Amino acid sequence: MEHLKEKTLESERIFDGNFIRLRKDRVVLPNGATSTREVVEHPGAAAIVPLTPRKEVVLIRQWRHPIKEVSIEIPAGKLSEDEDPLECAKRELSEETGFSARRWDPLIQFYASPGFCDEEMHLFIARDLYVSDGRPDEDEFVEPLVVPLEAALEMIETGEIMDAKSIIGLLKAAQFLEMEKA
């Protein structure tokens, strides 16, 4: 795969935000030409598919400013510096849903959108839920939504769930549960 690599000649920091940074790189392409790459640097995130014993999934409704609408998603949040992804997942589940879980299994890790962003997502399934005392962050307004897993999968098909991490998470969780039965 060496023949596909790009070599970075220089990087310029364009923006430092609360949790993302933006840089512009000048690169040499495999054919020797030069080009520019704009990269969003993200600390990474953890996302959770929380399942009740009745195979219901705890989703959240949340306003998403970039798309100017309420999005239905699985709970998730960004990693703090040097934070373990499972610890982040546990914190986010409690904060966003008011639940904690006794049983955790990793599902998959993936890059959210590697064409312009380095965000790595760590996805977990959480089971054996119990009520906790978590509360959303002060600038976070979420509303839990509990639906059967099958209904959540239908919500993907109907376009009610369009968030990529949620689609991947729900499909992987369904696959995980099927493999567990076998």
Side-chain angles (χ1 to χ4, degrees), residues 54-111:
R54 294 178 11 207
K55 297 264 189 312
E56 296 166 318
V57 62
V58 183
L59 302 170
I60 59 166
R61 289 185 182 111
Q62 183 173 18
W63 176 260
R64 292 301 193 180
H65 184 75
I67 61 172
K68 302 282 193 246
E69 62 184 60
V70 172
S71 179
I72 298 173
E73 304 176 11
I74 60 175
K78 73 176 181 68
L79 297 170
S80 298
E81 190 172 337
D82 298 321
E83 184 177 25
D84 176 72
L86 179 57
E87 292 308 309
C88 176
K90 289 177 178 181
R91 174 176 45 80
E92 290 296 331
L93 177 62
S94 178
E95 286 177 2
E96 293 190 352
T97 69
F99 286 101
S100 291
R102 290 182 186 89
R103 186 168 173 197
W104 291 85
D105 290 293
L107 289 176
I108 194 169
Q109 288 175 235
F110 60 94
Y111 290 107

Side-chain angles (χ1 to χ4, degrees), residues 1-171:
M1 297 298 172
E2 287 293 314
H3 67 284
L4 295 175
K5 282 189 174 180
E6 298 177 354
K7 180 182 177 199
T8 302
L9 298 174
E10 62 187 22
S11 287
E12 175 190 0
R13 176 81 52 223
I14 296 171
F15 175 76
D16 266 319
N18 291 331
F19 73 93
I20 64 165
R21 296 184 295 190
L22 178 61
R23 74 171 196 267
K24 185 161 64 170
D25 294 346
R26 199 163 69 83
V27 299
V28 176
L29 302 174
N31 66 2
T34 60
S35 188
T36 300
R37 302 288 187 240
E38 294 169 345
V39 179
V40 174
E41 297 173 347
H42 189 285
I48 311 99
V49 179
L51 284 178
T52 71
R54 294 178 11 207
K55 297 264 189 312
E56 296 166 318
V57 62
V58 183
L59 302 170
I60 59 166
R61 289 185 182 111
Q62 183 173 18
W63 176 260
R64 292 301 193 180
H65 184 75
I67 61 172
K68 302 282 193 246
E69 62 184 60
V70 172
S71 179
I72 298 173
E73 304 176 11
I74 60 175
K78 73 176 181 68
L79 297 170
S80 298
E81 190 172 337
D82 298 321
E83 184 177 25
D84 176 72
L86 179 57
E87 292 308 309
C88 176
K90 289 177 178 181
R91 174 176 45 80
E92 290 296 331
L93 177 62
S94 178
E95 286 177 2
E96 293 190 352
T97 69
F99 286 101
S100 291
R102 290 182 186 89
R103 186 168 173 197
W104 291 85
D105 290 293
L107 289 176
I108 194 169
Q109 288 175 235
F110 60 94
Y111 290 107
S113 192
F116 69 91
C117 184
D118 67 358
E119 177 185 13
E120 185 176 12
M121 184 74 61
H122 303 264
L123 192 53
F124 299 90
I125 187 170
R127 294 179 284 179
D128 198 4
L129 301 181
Y130 60 94
V131 176
S132 66
D133 61 352
R135 290 176 184 83
D137 293 332
E138 288 182 6
D139 65 346
E140 189 172 46
F141 299 89
V142 297
E143 180 179 281
L145 171 66
V146 181
V147 299
L149 178 58
E150 289 302 318
L153 295 172
E154 289 173 21
M155 293 168 78
I156 293 170
E157 296 302 318
T158 62
E160 291 174 85
I161 295 177
M162 293 183 59
D163 171 65
K165 73 180 174 308
S166 300
I167 293 169
I168 293 168
L170 293 166
L171 293 173

